[in-house]
Amino acid sequence: MSIRYKLVKKRNPQDPEGPQKWYATTNALSPLPERDMVNEATKNTTVSPGEFRLAIESLAEYAPTALRKGRTLKIPGIGTLRISFSSLAADTVEAFDSGSMIYSPRIVFTPESSFRKAVLQGLEFEDGGVLENGVSYASRADYKAAKAAAAGEPSEP
């Protein structure tokens, strides 16, 4: 199994004045249709696709309330979800104002080690092309050929 990547030229955010360099970014495929995911997940089980879909929908309804209450949700075999945030510092306890000093709330997912291993073990990466100045090339070879043609050079076979 391989993950497609695309090369994109951009500046390093830690060195905004530096030259642009090529970085690999995920070139994700379109999402698996819900019906296909449900059917694949329930294949060779006694759980019906309808029951599985209902369980997932129930989790999606329950999770926001639990997370807003400060709960950490453990999803068996997958990992945990929790709320995290950033905070400004206060010189004293009395000076701290949660309304203005807590910012960037986010949902953090931490996969179980067995889940992480199952996903990442044997992972390979596949060239998914190049993106430059809004133009997407299907492969590095196509990119090189287009650059050679633009420069009036003969392309390589």
Side-chain angles (χ1 to χ4, degrees), residues 3-8 10 23-28 126 128-129 131:
I3 300 292
R4 291 178 57 92
Y5 68 88
K6 188 169 283 213
L7 294 176
V8 178
K10 57 185 175 180
Y23 293 88
T25 61
T26 55
N27 187 12
E126 177 184 335
L131 178 64

Side-chain angles (χ1 to χ4, degrees), residues 13-138:
Q14 297 169 342
D15 183 15
E17 302 301 318
Q20 289 189 334
K21 295 184 179 182
W22 293 99
Y23 293 88
T25 61
T26 55
N27 187 12
L29 300 172
S30 60
L32 185 64
E34 180 182 316
R35 181 183 181 129
D36 293 348
M37 187 274 297
V38 167
N39 288 337
E40 283 296 314
T42 57
K43 186 172 30 175
N44 300 323
T45 72
T46 60
V47 177
S48 75
E51 291 169 324
F52 182 80
R53 180 180 284 113
L54 183 60
I56 296 295
E57 289 171 357
S58 295
L59 175 63
E61 285 180 28
Y62 167 75
T65 301
L67 291 169
R68 283 194 306 269
K69 289 180 179 179
R71 299 289 228 177
T72 295
L73 295 180
K74 182 166 176 42
I75 304 168
I78 296 178
T80 59
L81 293 171
R82 64 183 172 83
I83 297 288
S84 182
F85 52 81
S86 297
S87 170
L88 298 174
D91 292 328
T92 65
V93 169
E94 294 78 20
F96 187 82
D97 174 47
S98 63
S100 64
M101 298 179 84
I102 294 177
Y103 63 97
S104 296
R106 58 199 168 278
I107 301 169
V108 176
F109 169 69
T110 305
E112 283 190 9
S113 61
S114 59
F115 181 75
R116 177 190 309 269
K117 185 177 178 181
V119 171
L120 300 179
Q121 188 173 27
L123 190 64
E124 296 177 5
F125 299 93
E126 177 184 335
D127 183 357
V130 176
L131 178 64
E132 183 180 47
N133 299 326
V135 178
S136 184
Y137 302 89

